[in-house]
Amino acid sequence: MSTITRPGVKAGPSLTARLLASQRFSNLTIFGLLVAIIVFFTVVTPSGTFFSNYNLTSIALAGSQLLILSAGVTFLLIAAGLDLSVGAVVVFSSVLAAKLMLGLTSGLAGTAQGGAELWLPILAGVGAGVVTGAAWGLVNGMLVVKSKIPSFIVTLATSTIILGLAQVWTGGMNVSGVPQALTDAFGMGTLLGVPWPVVTAAAVTGLLWVVLARTRFGLRTYAIGANPEAARRAGINVDRHLLAIYCMVGLLAGLVGMIDISRFSTASVSGYANIALQSITAVIIGGTSLWGGRGKMSGTVVGAFIPATLTSGFVIMNLQPFWQNVAVGCVLIFAVFVDQYRRRAMNVT
Amino acid sequence: MTAPPPVLDVAGVTKSYGHVQALRGVDLQVRPREVHALVGDNGAGKSTLMKIIAGAVSPDSGTIAVDGRPVTFARPADAQAAGIETVYQDLALAPTLTAGENLYLGREVLKPGLLGRLGFVDRAAMNRSAERQLSTLGAKLQSLASEVGSLSGGQKQAVAVARASLWGSALIMLDEPTAALGVSQTEFVLKLVEQLRDERGLSVLLISHSMPDVFRVADRVTVLRLGQTVLTEEISALSTNDLIAAMTGAGIPAGGPTT
Ligand SMILES: Nc1ncnc2c1ncn2[C@@H]1O[C@H](COP(=O)(O)OP(=O)(O)OP(=O)(O)O)[C@@H](O)[C@H]1O
Ligand SMILES: [Mg+2]
């Protein structure tokens, strides 16, 4: 029996192999990478430009929308799902909310100004935008769960449909004229010096972090991604669980749409073409396995801020910010390499 | 003095898939505290019978009784509620979860009080229980924090058996638990089976193609051939050749098997 209880009788895997294979290592690497990027830019830029309160705040602001989406997508990837439609949902929710606010305020004088009578239309628009996002998420979830078509294909299709509907509705034009009061109070507003969108992102991510790491819902998310059949046999309602995750991701996309119109006063029809892939990238860079069952919110937080940090640094260095894309792609390949290595190391033992 | 009723009493169970008659009349009685082997050639209907007892498949006809009480299993949860746990051949563990998380999958321990009502899980409690369960079974893991996927085949089997023995109160069914294992790990798993009987006082229904395993741990054996029960006997009254003859239909002398 002792041969079973001690598996390391044969020569164990090398130290590097074991390092690469450990979850803690990959979380540390990616965190170390972000720290290295920050240190690098701090050193090579004039003092007080990159590592300043102002610049760090703008990085946080620039990354906040991606972070919110990525926090939800973390659940989805851990459950071995995928959602390519979040960008389309952001656009649809923004358009719907903007149109609703415009319609409800059209009778009022001085739409562009702030005013107490504007708050009802604003809240109605925001509420409708978020609920619509959740509804699209539910549609995605239903299609994935019922049709058994891979989530990649389902959400690729719904992405086109949802964006197409938004384009038809607006004739492909942005919807401007979102009440200035929303921008003043939220989009450009701050809480103790921290922009409201950043506060929102921190709150949402913190909440989802706790849910993933500490609750039964989180634990079952890992189980479903690791072995859905095992989860089913254990009496877990896998379909309902997946439905809840897709619905949550849709809701977060709606929320991101609301942050967007509050920051830019306009519902953008073309602005979110890449965010679905960017969120998946951020989550995978953060160490979540593309094959499900494994991942951490801490990694996602780091992964979501790497693009904004790089962009800011390159801009301050007077380099083209597009270098950010090149760098993120390289980091992505490295992250997936580590993930694959870890999976292989597991299967060997 | 009356003998206690069988833990499991299956009578006249049939099941067809289209034109395929998987089971054409199966009788099976598992007594309290016994390891009962279920053997038969490929396609004899062993797995189908196991799925029926586990509540995963419903029979066309026939009856099932647990501890003398007739039961109807519409869902796996019904069989589990009757104290029957199943270790499937492909184990049904979540490889990226720890042993403790696997033992309690679907029946997680929640924290006491408000946190528990909010759905917070008590991982420490699950780990402690996993350690206790596994050490009663004589299996110590190096680290309770390690993912089940990184364990050896025998250790994985131990986790699956520990899960079954944690929740089962009447019968544990194991479908070919040693099929993928080497010599020492097979021995380890057979010891687990004996412990379920001797220390936990449970009955075990063991599906196996391995005659040495059957003779090593089973108290009694039932042979299925072409979906029918052809023999149930004390293992001590049989030889390997008797079993093979019954499985292949080479014929058993009337009046019972010879030794
Ligand atoms: N879901 C199903 N649909 C159709 N036929 C089935 C199904 N399940 C089992 N069968 C058939 O029923 C018969 C019995 O199969 P079963 O899997 O119970 O045999 P077994 O004794 O477990 O065989 P093995 O030793 O190969 O595992 C076989 O002919 C099989 O093809
Ligand atoms: Mg079988």
Side-chain angles (χ1 to χ4, degrees):
Chain A
M1 207 148 62
S2 59
T3 48
I4 292 163
T5 54
R6 266 180 274 123
V9 183
K10 279 177 286 175
S14 72
L15 183 66
T16 21
R18 267 183 291 159
L19 261 180
L20 274 175
S22 88
Q23 170 93 50
R24 195 163 295 147
F25 170 77
S26 77
N27 276 347
L28 276 180
T29 357
I30 203 64
F31 184 70
L33 188 68
L34 181 60
V35 171
I37 292 171
I38 291 172
V39 169
F40 173 79
F41 283 131
T42 307
V43 170
V44 299
T45 53
S47 79
T49 52
F50 181 82
F51 202 83
S52 65
N53 214 340
Y54 172 76
N55 194 50
L56 293 182
T57 304
S58 29
I59 291 176
L61 188 59
S64 59
Q65 281 154 276
L66 182 59
L67 176 60
I68 290 176
L69 277 180
S70 304
V73 169
T74 305
F75 278 80
L76 200 48
L77 254 66
I78 289 175
L82 215 53
D83 190 348
L84 297 177
S85 75
V86 289
V89 175
V90 170
V91 169
F92 191 96
S93 292
S94 311
V95 167
L96 180 118
K99 291 250 184 203
L100 190 61
M101 289 178 199
L102 281 178
L104 290 174
T105 54
S106 61
L108 302 169
T111 307
Q113 317 305 318
E117 74 280 10
L118 282 172
W119 280 108
L120 203 60
I122 287 174
L123 289 178
V126 167
V130 172
V131 169
T132 305
W136 279 124
L138 211 55
V139 170
N140 278 329
M142 292 293 274
L143 285 171
V144 169
V145 165
K146 296 292 173 212
S147 72
K148 311 283 182 214
I149 301 171
S151 54
F152 172 82
I153 303 293
V154 167
T155 58
L156 185 63
T158 56
S159 170
T160 319
I161 294 168
I162 297 167
L163 185 60
L165 287 173
Q167 286 166 328
V168 168
W169 195 3
T170 60
M173 311 284 282
N174 292 349
V175 183
S176 55
V178 172
Q180 188 65 36
L182 177 61
T183 310
D184 291 341
F186 186 85
M188 298 294 176
T190 58
L191 174 72
L192 307 172
V194 184
W196 271 110
V198 177
V199 174
T200 311
V204 167
T205 310
L207 177 70
L208 293 184
W209 191 326
V210 171
V211 170
L212 183 63
R214 296 258 180 269
T215 70
R216 179 167 59 188
F217 188 87
L219 183 53
R220 290 181 171 185
T221 302
Y222 287 97
I224 288 169
N227 187 350
E229 197 49 41
R232 236 170 250 126
R233 284 176 184 167
I236 294 170
N237 190 335
V238 172
D239 287 357
R240 203 180 59 196
H241 196 102
L242 288 174
L243 214 54
I245 294 178
Y246 278 100
C247 189
M248 173 183 79
V249 171
L251 184 144
L252 294 175
L255 180 64
V256 166
M258 299 310 98
I259 293 177
D260 199 61
I261 60 173
S262 73
R263 282 181 66 195
F264 303 109
S265 305
T266 299
S268 160
V269 179
S270 55
Y272 280 88
N274 293 327
I275 196 138
L277 290 177
Q278 283 167 351
S279 66
I280 294 168
T281 303
V283 173
I284 291 176
I285 285 179
T288 294
S289 172
L290 189 51
W291 291 272
R294 208 179 269 123
K296 289 240 162 75
M297 198 59 83
S298 54
T300 295
V301 172
V302 174
F305 279 116
I306 283 181
T309 311
L310 286 170
T311 305
S312 161
F314 288 137
V315 167
I316 292 175
M317 284 176 74
N318 274 325
L319 290 170
Q320 292 201 48
F322 305 116
W323 280 112
Q324 174 261 125
N325 293 327
V326 179
V328 166
C330 296
V331 177
L332 178 62
I333 289 192
F334 174 73
V336 174
F337 169 77
V338 171
D339 178 31
Q340 256 177 358
Y341 196 95
R342 181 164 356 125
R343 284 162 46 82
R344 226 171 288 141
M346 287 256 315
N347 292 343
V348 166
T349 34
Chain B
M1 181 182 122
T2 53
V7 166
L8 177 74
D9 192 345
V10 175
V13 162
T14 65
K15 177 73 191 178
S16 294
Y17 293 105
H19 296 298
V20 185
Q21 277 193 290
L23 301 179
R24 320 159 178 237
V26 171
D27 300 317
L28 171 69
Q29 292 197 336
V30 181
R31 295 175 184 157
R33 271 181 179 260
E34 79 166 346
V35 175
H36 195 112
L38 183 64
V39 301
D41 214 344
N42 294 112
K46 304 180 295 294
S47 296
T48 306
L49 178 59
M50 193 200 77
K51 284 175 196 151
I52 287 174
I53 299 168
V57 166
S58 36
D60 298 336
S61 65
T63 59
I64 302 177
V66 174
D67 288 326
R69 283 186 305 275
V71 289
T72 317
F73 298 150
R75 283 172 286 115
D78 298 341
Q80 289 177 352
I84 298 175
E85 286 289 324
T86 310
V87 177
Y88 291 89
Q89 188 165 1
D90 49 0
L91 288 181
L93 296 173
T96 63
L97 267 51
T98 65
E101 291 164 350
N102 265 292
L103 251 59
Y104 284 90
L105 187 58
R107 298 175 268 210
E108 298 82 358
V109 183
L110 297 181
K111 291 213 184 250
L114 178 66
L115 283 180
R117 254 175 286 145
L118 289 172
F120 282 65
V121 290
D122 193 342
R123 279 197 173 76
M126 293 195 277
N127 277 338
R128 275 197 306 276
S129 159
E131 188 166 29
R132 210 165 39 238
Q133 291 291 325
L134 285 165
S135 67
T136 351
L137 290 172
K140 275 219 167 62
L141 302 184
Q142 266 192 328
S143 160
L144 285 166
S146 49
E147 298 182 354
V148 158
S150 68
L151 303 178
S152 75
Q155 287 174 324
K156 282 183 195 143
Q157 199 65 246
V159 172
V161 170
R163 177 182 159 87
S165 84
L166 176 62
W167 300 106
S169 57
L171 176 72
I172 310 277
M173 295 192 285
L174 303 163
D175 195 357
E176 303 198 34
T178 61
L181 301 182
V183 180
S184 64
Q185 303 226 342
T186 294
E187 180 55 26
F188 170 69
V189 169
L190 294 180
K191 281 216 173 89
L192 292 181
V193 170
E194 289 178 329
Q195 265 153 14
L196 292 178
R197 175 192 59 198
D198 299 338
E199 266 138 59
R200 292 284 328 272
L202 297 169
S203 300
V204 178
L205 184 64
L206 175 73
I207 297 179
S208 182
H209 280 293
S210 156
M211 289 307 118
D213 287 6
V214 170
F215 280 93
R216 162 81 173 64
V217 290
D219 301 303
R220 294 199 306 151
V221 60
T222 289
V223 181
L224 292 190
R225 185 160 62 84
L226 304 175
Q228 276 180 308
T229 305
V230 294
L231 176 74
T232 294
E233 190 52 80
E234 300 283 333
I235 203 76
S236 53
L238 294 167
S239 71
T240 306
N241 284 342
D242 296 331
L243 274 187
I244 292 172
M247 287 194 287
T248 57
I252 296 175
T258 52
T259 15

